[in-house]
Amino acid sequence: MISTLLIVVIGQVGCLTLAVITASVFGGLWLDDTFGTKPVFTLVLLFAGIPLSVLLMLYASRKTLAQLKEKYETEEKEPTA
Amino acid sequence: METQKRTPWRRWIVLALMIAGFILGGIFVPVQPEIAVAAEKLIEEPIAENFLGFLGPLYLVNTLPTLAVTLVLLLLIAFFANRSLKQSQNTDLVPRGIGNLVEAILEMLYNLTEGSAGKYAKMIFPWFATIMIYVLFANLLKLIPGFESIGVLHHAHGEGHTIAEIGGGWANLLPAKVEEGGYILAPFFRGISVDLNFTASLALISVVMIQVIGFRAQGIGYLSKFFNTRRMFKVPFFGAMDFLVGLLELISEISKILSFAFRLFGNMFAGIVLVAIVAGLLGKFSILPAMIMMFELFVGVIQAFVFGMLTMVFMAQATQGHGEEHAEH
């Protein structure tokens, strides 16, 4: 169970930056094309996306590490029969 | 004890470099690089007509020189680290310099492996450390200035850039675009992690070795993970369910290859697109693409860690049969 949790958090961390940055760049390019505001939206969304992806990464890691810690503690209290 | 007053001079150098970068960025306005998914050919003719007799033409693409440079650098570091550790063993002192650094990194990785793999750590660790250090080097090497910005000028089939001769057969690509008679740049070096061949081959190695380690740890019993017939006759309904879950496991092993390959390639390719778009949008204010390079450094380290860790945790999971997982910790 613990390695599955590890796999989940590592997989999430691995894809978060790609997902957030791709969404912010192409979202910004689309908005700029739609409203003719090149390059405002692209840059604003991009430079907001970078810290956002880092924060999401930290949040996902801390949440899962808390679960891992809880699992370790419950396992130590009830050693397998 | 009199504390020696230290004058922090390094920060002024960093500041000076940033200002210089800002000014130079205004003089040599960056040209929006060509975004190509596949590695670019450095020379048009193939270097081997039919590679190995059945693989077809082999072209000199710009990730091959990078591959060579990465391997040479890794071998040099291994050589010097080994020499430094040997010297420290003879003199009984703490290893200094590169030996110390490499030892610390490997020790940290080994402890990580032991935490997940338990008694199989010795079997899994070499794969984990090799893949992680190799991908780390591949990701960080492409951030060196000059990488992906010095190369061969090809005639553009369509829109291209004008050039300014510098002399000695060298020319500078200018931001101005022309419809006809323009040029595009094929850099000498392109990051190898931005080549799907590299990431896919590493993914294949990783997933095949996960199965090999599964067999070595569990023997033929490892196959029960995919063809689970244990309860087939005792409790037919749940037995059939187990069998289907086993087939799903088989599919998930194949999807691991795709996820490994495309996660690393996608992240590193997104980095190139990012820098290209921002450099193209901002032109003179080139200090901002430099900030994106810092983010690229962060993503490069994260992706190397993710690739290595996932390989290691999957291998650790493959060593555990059903219900053995709790007994291990």
Side-chain angles (χ1 to χ4, degrees):
Chain A
M1 184 52 196
I2 284 167
S3 8
T4 313
L5 264 177
L6 261 181
I7 291 166
V8 165
V9 70
I10 298 168
Q12 272 176 356
V13 162
C15 295
L16 261 174
T17 43
L18 180 59
V20 171
I21 294 298
T22 309
S24 55
V25 168
F26 290 106
L29 288 173
W30 180 75
L31 287 172
D32 278 337
D33 281 348
T34 314
F35 301 109
T37 51
K38 191 173 183 183
V40 175
F41 273 114
T42 309
L43 293 178
V44 166
L45 284 180
L46 178 61
F47 286 106
I50 290 178
L52 176 66
S53 65
V54 177
L55 289 175
L56 283 176
M57 218 187 269
L58 289 175
Y59 171 73
S61 312
R62 289 184 62 185
K63 199 180 96 181
T64 306
L65 289 176
Q67 286 174 19
L68 276 173
K69 196 160 169 258
E70 197 189 301
K71 287 239 171 296
Y72 266 117
E73 277 152 13
T74 47
E75 277 198 2
E76 260 142 31
K77 277 187 211 126
E78 321 144 8
T80 49
Chain B
M1 192 180 81
E2 191 221 317
T3 55
Q4 197 189 7
K5 196 166 184 323
R6 291 182 55 198
T7 51
W9 50 273
R10 291 182 182 83
R11 65 186 70 171
W12 303 114
I13 288 180
V14 172
L15 185 64
L17 285 173
M18 285 175 79
I19 293 167
F22 196 72
I23 294 164
L24 284 174
I27 298 167
F28 299 103
V29 178
V31 173
Q32 183 162 20
E34 203 65 26
I35 299 172
V37 178
E40 296 102 336
K41 292 181 201 150
L42 288 179
I43 42 178
E44 286 303 324
E45 298 76 29
I47 45 178
E49 280 304 327
N50 196 1
F51 189 51
L52 298 182
F54 63 96
L55 283 178
L58 175 69
Y59 290 96
L60 178 63
V61 290
N62 52 4
T63 43
L64 290 178
T66 320
L67 190 63
V69 167
T70 310
L71 294 179
V72 166
L73 273 179
L74 280 172
L75 291 173
L76 281 177
I77 284 178
F79 172 74
F80 286 115
N82 185 40
R83 199 177 65 170
S84 159
L85 287 168
K86 276 216 171 89
Q87 277 165 2
S88 71
Q89 275 162 6
N90 298 340
T91 58
D92 206 17
L93 287 176
V94 173
R96 298 174 51 80
I98 193 158
N100 194 10
L101 172 68
V102 169
E103 188 183 35
I105 291 171
L106 291 185
E107 200 166 336
M108 184 260 293
L109 294 183
Y110 192 80
N111 293 337
L112 258 178
T113 314
E114 227 165 19
S116 281
K119 65 180 182 195
Y120 295 104
K122 249 198 181 69
M123 196 195 319
I124 291 172
F125 172 71
W127 296 98
F128 169 42
T130 307
I131 286 177
M132 186 164 168
I133 292 170
Y134 191 22
V135 174
L136 184 67
F137 253 75
N139 291 349
L140 298 188
L141 211 59
K142 74 187 193 76
L143 299 177
I144 294 173
F147 244 84
E148 294 169 353
S149 55
I150 300 172
V152 181
L153 287 173
H154 290 301
H155 283 289
H157 309 295
E159 194 184 49
H161 291 272
T162 54
I163 57 169
E165 297 282 345
I166 298 175
W170 289 85
N172 192 17
L173 208 63
L174 300 177
K177 289 197 173 180
V178 287
E179 281 307 318
E180 285 301 322
Y183 291 87
I184 53 168
L185 171 74
F188 286 131
F189 294 102
R190 173 183 165 128
I192 41 177
S193 40
V194 196
D195 187 347
L196 200 51
N197 295 298
F198 172 73
T199 57
S201 53
L202 214 53
L204 277 171
I205 292 168
S206 169
V207 173
V208 165
M209 280 320 295
I210 288 167
Q211 316 314 319
V212 167
I213 282 181
F215 278 112
R216 281 171 71 182
Q218 297 185 54
I220 204 70
Y222 179 65
L223 278 180
S224 71
K225 172 180 173 183
F226 304 116
F227 309 105
N228 192 346
T229 55
R230 258 193 221 112
R231 296 199 293 178
M232 191 65 94
F233 304 105
K234 277 180 241 153
V235 193
F237 177 72
F238 289 109
M241 283 299 125
D242 287 349
F243 189 75
L244 287 178
V245 167
L247 293 185
L248 284 180
E249 285 278 347
L250 202 58
I251 295 164
S252 96
E253 292 301 318
I254 293 159
S255 73
K256 276 178 196 163
I257 299 173
L258 297 178
S259 84
F260 270 127
F262 281 100
R263 178 187 302 111
L264 179 59
F265 174 76
N267 269 282
M268 304 322 288
F269 183 66
I272 282 191
V273 170
L274 211 56
V275 172
I277 287 174
V278 173
L281 288 177
L282 289 177
K284 284 195 177 297
F285 302 98
S286 69
I287 199 76
L288 293 177
M291 283 165 59
I292 287 183
M293 291 303 239
M294 275 181 356
F295 181 61
E296 274 307 293
L297 177 72
F298 174 72
V299 169
V301 173
I302 289 278
Q303 286 307 317
F305 184 75
V306 163
F307 204 111
M309 269 300 280
L310 277 181
T311 303
M312 186 265 284
V313 177
F314 280 134
M315 284 177 174
Q317 221 180 30
T319 61
Q320 290 149 10
H322 291 283
E324 262 183 49
E325 181 163 335
H326 298 286
E328 277 312 312
H329 291 290

